[in-house]
Amino acid sequence: MKLGFLTGGLGDMPLKDKINWAYETGFEAIEVSCWPKINSRDYSACDMDVNILDETQSKELLQYLQDREMSISSLAYYDNNLDEDLRERDSRIQHLKKVIDAAHLLNVELVGTFVGRNKSLSLEDNFKLFKDIFSDILDYAQKRNIKIMIENCPMPCWSNDGLAGTISYSPELWHEMFKELPNKNFGLNFDPSHLVWLQVDYLQALKDFKDRIFHIHAKDTKLVKDKISYYSICGKQIGKLDAFDLGWVEAKIPGNGDVNWNAFFNVLKDIDYNGVVSIEHEDLEYEGSVAKLKEGIGLGKKYLDRFFPVK
């Protein structure tokens, strides 16, 4: 296994500066954020402009990484690919295909995204739409030797009243997802933090979906349990700062939340996972400046280092 991080977590620094910091800090991989330059997603970044990336730029970047004994684990573009707005949906799918093209140029095997949800359709009809749209995406990726992986955040910011804004956040829905599209180049970017929040047994889920786990997001979640009795399992309803402000769920750097990382890594070993574990930094305690972002990611790495053999 290798330890990396999602580059969007370092804010607006140039990508080469992020690579240099990653190298100096001891990371072996980076997961490159590839959103469009103009977008409204939180925690997004355009660390690589896939609209202009060419073979010359790709070779230069790969050499830059090779000189520092680093690699790219994945290209990341997480957005709603089932949006009811047809213009938005088409724009996102076309951008996702450009990310896939960029991965092919860079010899990067993995591209991460979300499924999303059409709020105007039933769950059953959303799965029909998903099958139609993702059949094409997976076909496009397969022709370029790329695997597509889905991250399992429920994305309440894309729905109403805190409900899930994607159809791909739980084992029940993964079973349906892979039943509809059993393609071998389709899998998960597995994030245990969301499963803690949703009260899902993330260790059992690791075992049950071991053949579909392509990549790991290392993020933690702290459940403020004495507040659940006030806000309820549905979360805060009045005065929310954003859709993720449930009042009793807090995103944390690895080691500062409720994920049992020792048990988690034991299961990773049991299932012979040999990919990248990538820190996804969303801890509000370590935001506000580049120095604080670096501190948060660095502390997450320091905690996770204990699970990686010394080289």
Side-chain angles (χ1 to χ4, degrees):
M1 288 187 290
K2 292 182 177 180
L3 185 57
F5 70 96
L6 180 61
T7 58
L10 273 184
D12 296 328
M13 294 167 56
L15 181 58
K16 286 186 176 179
D17 289 351
K18 293 182 179 183
I19 292 171
N20 288 336
W21 179 80
Y23 171 67
E24 292 164 1
T25 308
F27 284 103
E28 295 183 272
I30 55 170
E31 180 186 4
V32 183
S33 298
C34 294
W35 275 262
K37 284 190 171 181
I38 300 175
N39 75 90
S40 58
R41 273 297 319 279
D42 57 342
Y43 294 106
S44 66
C46 182
D47 287 324
M48 179 186 298
D49 189 344
V50 297
N51 291 293
I52 62 173
L53 185 73
D54 58 24
E55 192 169 345
T56 299
Q57 292 172 329
S58 299
K59 287 181 178 177
E60 179 189 346
L61 178 57
L62 288 173
Q63 186 62 55
Y64 198 82
L65 287 161
Q66 184 178 326
D67 290 344
R68 290 153 183 80
E69 299 181 325
M70 294 185 64
S71 62
I72 298 174
S73 66
S74 163
L75 299 189
Y77 172 53
Y78 293 93
D79 222 318
N80 187 352
N81 291 299
L82 305 188
D83 199 299
E84 63 269 25
D85 186 316
L86 294 180
R87 183 177 294 181
E88 284 290 336
R89 184 199 302 169
D90 183 65
S91 175
R92 290 167 188 166
I93 292 169
Q94 293 311 310
H95 185 79
L96 179 58
K97 288 182 174 180
K98 289 178 182 177
V99 176
I100 292 168
D101 290 338
H104 179 65
L105 269 178
L106 291 161
N107 296 315
V108 173
E109 183 182 39
L110 300 173
V111 168
T113 191
F114 286 131
V115 172
R117 187 171 194 152
N118 184 329
K119 290 187 291 186
S120 67
L121 299 179
S122 67
L123 181 62
E124 182 181 35
D125 286 338
N126 263 281
F127 268 106
K128 291 176 182 176
L129 180 62
F130 151 75
K131 187 173 184 179
D132 180 52
I133 287 174
F134 272 82
S135 291
D136 174 63
I137 291 170
L138 292 172
D139 220 25
Y140 190 89
Q142 182 61 51
K143 290 173 182 175
R144 291 154 180 80
N145 297 313
I146 303 300
K147 294 180 178 179
I148 299 297
M149 57 186 191
I150 302 300
E151 211 263 29
N152 53 280
C153 181
M155 297 306 293
C157 53
W158 293 341
S159 190
N160 301 319
D161 299 326
L163 299 175
T166 183
I167 61 169
S168 52
Y169 58 86
S170 69
E172 174 195 18
L173 298 173
W174 303 341
H175 275 294
E176 186 68 17
M177 188 169 71
F178 294 128
K179 183 181 78 173
E180 292 294 330
L181 291 175
N183 307 48
K184 290 183 179 180
N185 69 325
F186 192 36
L188 296 170
N189 186 2
F190 190 99
D191 187 330
S193 71
H194 305 307
L195 300 179
V196 170
W197 157 22
L198 297 173
Q199 309 292 289
V200 171
D201 186 340
Y202 54 93
L203 299 179
Q204 188 61 50
L206 266 183
K207 298 171 188 175
D208 291 345
F209 290 88
K210 63 181 181 179
D211 296 331
R212 293 290 183 175
I213 296 171
F214 295 167
H215 197 264
I216 299 292
H217 261 176
K219 185 164 77 260
D220 219 329
T221 290
K222 183 70 177 176
L223 303 183
V224 188
K225 295 180 181 177
D226 61 338
K227 292 187 178 181
I228 297 177
S229 61
Y230 180 72
Y231 290 117
S232 87
I233 196 74
C234 297
K236 184 193 293 186
Q237 299 298 304
I238 299 170
K240 296 174 70 165
L241 299 177
D242 55 50
F244 289 93
D245 181 19
L246 300 180
W248 57 272
V249 179
E250 298 175 358
K252 292 293 183 182
I253 59 171
N256 282 8
D258 292 329
V259 174
N260 184 335
W261 291 103
N262 186 61
F264 186 81
F265 275 90
N266 283 338
V267 175
L268 288 183
K269 291 175 184 175
D270 288 343
I271 66 174
D272 295 321
Y273 178 77
N274 197 34
V276 170
V277 176
S278 180
I279 295 173
E280 183 187 19
H281 177 41
E282 295 182 355
D283 189 329
L284 296 177
E285 188 176 348
Y286 297 98
E287 292 186 358
S289 68
V290 171
K292 291 295 289 183
L293 294 172
K294 287 181 176 179
E295 182 184 3
I297 296 171
L299 287 171
K301 179 183 182 298
K302 183 177 180 181
Y303 178 83
L304 293 177
D305 275 343
R306 70 191 67 189
F307 303 110
F308 290 80
V310 177
K311 296 183 179 179

